[in-house]
Amino acid sequence: MKPIVALIKALIDSFKDLLPIVFVVLFFQMIVLKQPMPNYFHILSGVGLVIVGLTFFVFGLNMALFPIGETLAHGLANKGSVTYLLIFAFFLGFGTTIAEPALTSVADKAAEVASQGGVIASDLSAQESYSHGLRITVALAVGVAIVLGVLRILEGWPIHIMIIAGYLLVVILTIFAPASIIGIAYDSGGVTTSTITVPLVTALGVGLSSVIKGRNPMIDGFGLIAFASLLPMIFVLVYGMVIS
């Protein structure tokens, strides 16, 4: 009975979360644009599917992914091997990013635009090579970012100093990077935080900081996603400088 009650509560919460978006769309459609809403049945059906999908997604995170991440963090920390922990952190970041649909879409579009703008050759193989290179670069960056975040938790390094230094490096690299790669690099920082990476990485950070003596899960457990957004910008800027 409890799972059913929890599922119904999650459905209600998802509906509440979606209401502001619905109101904004309705306001601009009917008040600003002053146009009737087309295909009422399709729109209502789509909203219903979004609510159900969001509910099951959040329900699944709480039921499976968060516990898995915390369990792995506890197990690896108790094993006492920093090497295994860092290897797992790298492949967690790399593996969840390389197959991220948003990254694939952005990389393919970037390759298409680059070929049209004369940055790369216009043939299909050149576009595929450019897109594949972007995806590998970003995936490597996220893998390194998670490793860096885990090391920060282990060593107790201050996150604000590392983030500030990272963005200063982004600004410096932006000055020297080719103009054609700057926008792609900045966007790559956003597409890396996927629906699988975020809960697993967050659970890893919280679980790791809770099992290490002297670490506070609230203070030290979060922040890994910040590195996962920052390092891809740096890596892609360098990638653009190398291939240019």
Side-chain angles (χ1 to χ4, degrees), residues 73-98:
H74 280 80
L76 289 168
N78 291 330
K79 191 176 181 63
S81 174
V82 176
T83 302
Y84 283 131
L85 180 60
L86 296 181
I87 291 174
F88 169 73
F90 175 80
F91 282 106
L92 174 67
F94 183 90
T96 55
T97 303
I98 194 66

Side-chain angles (χ1 to χ4, degrees), residues 2 23-24 50-51 143 151 181 193-194 220 231 239:
K2 286 184 178 180
F23 283 137
V24 168
V50 169
I51 292 173
L151 282 174
I181 202 69
T193 50
S194 71
D220 302 305
L231 260 68
Y239 173 76

Side-chain angles (χ1 to χ4, degrees), residues 186-198:
Y186 284 18
D187 282 346
S188 68
V191 300
T192 55
T193 50
S194 71
T195 53
I196 302 298
T197 305
V198 172

Side-chain angles (χ1 to χ4, degrees), residues 15 18 22 26 37-52:
F15 178 73
L18 202 63
V22 174
L26 287 175
M37 189 71 70
N39 300 322
Y40 283 100
F41 177 75
H42 289 164
I43 292 173
L44 289 175
S45 300
V47 171
L49 289 173
V50 169
I51 292 173
V52 173

Side-chain angles (χ1 to χ4, degrees), residues 39-127:
N39 300 322
Y40 283 100
F41 177 75
H42 289 164
I43 292 173
L44 289 175
S45 300
V47 171
L49 289 173
V50 169
I51 292 173
V52 173
L54 182 62
T55 301
F56 279 107
F57 173 68
V58 176
F59 206 66
L61 290 183
N62 293 327
M63 184 183 293
L65 289 186
F66 278 121
I68 286 174
E70 292 181 5
T71 302
L72 286 170
H74 280 80
L76 289 168
N78 291 330
K79 191 176 181 63
S81 174
V82 176
T83 302
Y84 283 131
L85 180 60
L86 296 181
I87 291 174
F88 169 73
F90 175 80
F91 282 106
L92 174 67
F94 183 90
T96 55
T97 303
I98 194 66
E100 167 60 27
L103 175 60
T104 303
S105 177
V106 169
D108 290 344
K109 179 58 66 175
E112 179 184 338
V113 174
S115 66
Q116 294 173 355
V119 177
I120 60 174
S122 58
D123 59 282
L124 186 60
S125 62
Q127 293 183 36

